[in-house]
Amino acid sequence: MAHHPILWTFRRCPYAIRARLALASSGVTVELREILLRDKPAAFLQTSPSGTVPSLRLTDKVLDESLEIMLWALKQSDPQRLLDMPQVGWDLIMINDGPFKDALDHTKYATRFPDLDVQEERKKASGYLLDLNEQLVGRTWLFGDRPTLADLALLPFVRQFAHIDRAWFDAQEWPNLVAWLDRFLDSAIFSLVMHKRTTWSEGDAPVVFNG
């Protein structure tokens, strides 16, 4: 049997979702190992320097950051030209992974941050989302009629924010953002990467992704 790179993942984690999206888009075959974050197996902790998902074990190294995994996969194969995007795409990813993710966490997990005003944190996140809504005016995706790396990198986090209170989210003045998110949620690739899998245990037969 061929030995493929091993992707440690958790189904609902937005970082893991975007790594799986890039791998699915590239067609690169990996062995997928689904874990529970509350019960991390020893084999995973021996692989991942940070103890976080996603983590991709290659022959000669471990990739422990989701964006790093996305870039690795798409540099192997990028049939949709996802890497072909303007510099502003990288800027959006940087904001998403920094101040937006902070505001998202402060809103979703408000009880963990009792010193912060949850409404103010939601307002911060909303400012970023309003900018995305403007970016999407007249466009199907962030930069035109096809997705790019930025779309795949951002959408799992926008989805997470929307699911905090979907009725509130849909009532906001960002119709282009809602359409963009719903298009993603209805897509075949989203269904593929969100397929429920059994939690990995030592000795299990390999689960091949993209095989």
Side-chain angles (χ1 to χ4, degrees):
M1 177 182 291
H3 292 283
H4 303 296
I6 297 171
L7 179 73
W8 296 92
T9 184
F10 175 63
R11 180 176 174 270
R12 296 194 307 274
C13 171
Y15 292 105
I17 292 171
R18 73 182 186 182
R20 297 196 304 271
L21 286 168
L23 286 162
S25 298
S26 72
V28 173
T29 301
V30 299
E31 178 186 339
L32 191 150
R33 293 184 178 180
E34 177 76 14
I35 66 169
L36 296 176
L37 298 181
R38 67 175 181 272
D39 186 20
K40 299 173 183 177
F44 164 66
L45 294 173
Q46 291 166 5
T47 297
S48 171
S50 65
T52 59
V53 293
S55 185
L56 183 67
R57 161 62 74 180
L58 303 175
T59 303
D60 57 342
K61 61 182 176 180
V62 174
L63 303 183
D64 216 35
E65 297 289 341
S66 61
L67 189 57
E68 191 177 26
I69 294 170
M70 295 182 82
L71 292 174
W72 175 85
L74 295 172
K75 286 177 181 177
Q76 312 304 307
S77 173
D78 186 14
Q80 299 177 53
R81 298 188 298 117
L82 295 171
L83 292 176
D84 180 12
M85 70 175 183
Q87 175 59 42
V88 67
W90 298 104
D91 297 338
L92 289 174
I93 293 171
M94 182 174 66
I95 297 170
N96 178 87
D97 290 11
F100 175 69
K101 182 61 167 63
D102 290 342
L104 164 59
D105 287 346
H106 296 161
T107 305
K108 182 176 175 63
Y109 307 109
T111 56
R112 300 180 189 176
F113 306 98
D115 296 335
L116 297 177
D117 183 336
V118 64
Q119 297 303 324
E120 186 61 29
E121 294 303 307
R122 185 161 76 171
K123 184 178 178 181
K124 290 178 185 177
S126 297
Y128 169 75
L129 296 177
L130 285 167
D131 288 343
L132 288 185
N133 184 70
E134 288 302 307
Q135 177 67 34
L136 287 159
V137 171
R139 298 185 174 108
T140 305
W141 301 96
L142 287 171
F143 301 109
D145 60 359
R146 63 174 182 83
T148 65
L149 175 69
D151 292 277
L152 299 193
L154 272 54
L155 275 160
F157 296 89
V158 176
R159 168 184 177 269
Q160 188 179 53
F161 182 84
H163 284 186
I164 297 172
D165 186 341
R166 186 64 205 248
W168 175 90
F169 183 87
D170 287 345
Q172 303 311 299
E173 293 298 321
W174 46 45
N176 307 309
L177 185 78
V178 172
W180 178 63
L181 175 61
D182 285 343
R183 188 176 302 112
F184 170 64
L185 297 180
D186 290 339
S187 68
I189 193 171
F190 179 72
S191 296
L192 172 65
V193 303
M194 295 302 289
H195 179 73
K196 289 185 178 180
R197 301 181 186 277
T198 303
T199 303
W200 178 86
S201 295
E202 193 72 52
D204 282 354
V207 174
V208 178
F209 185 69
N210 287 345

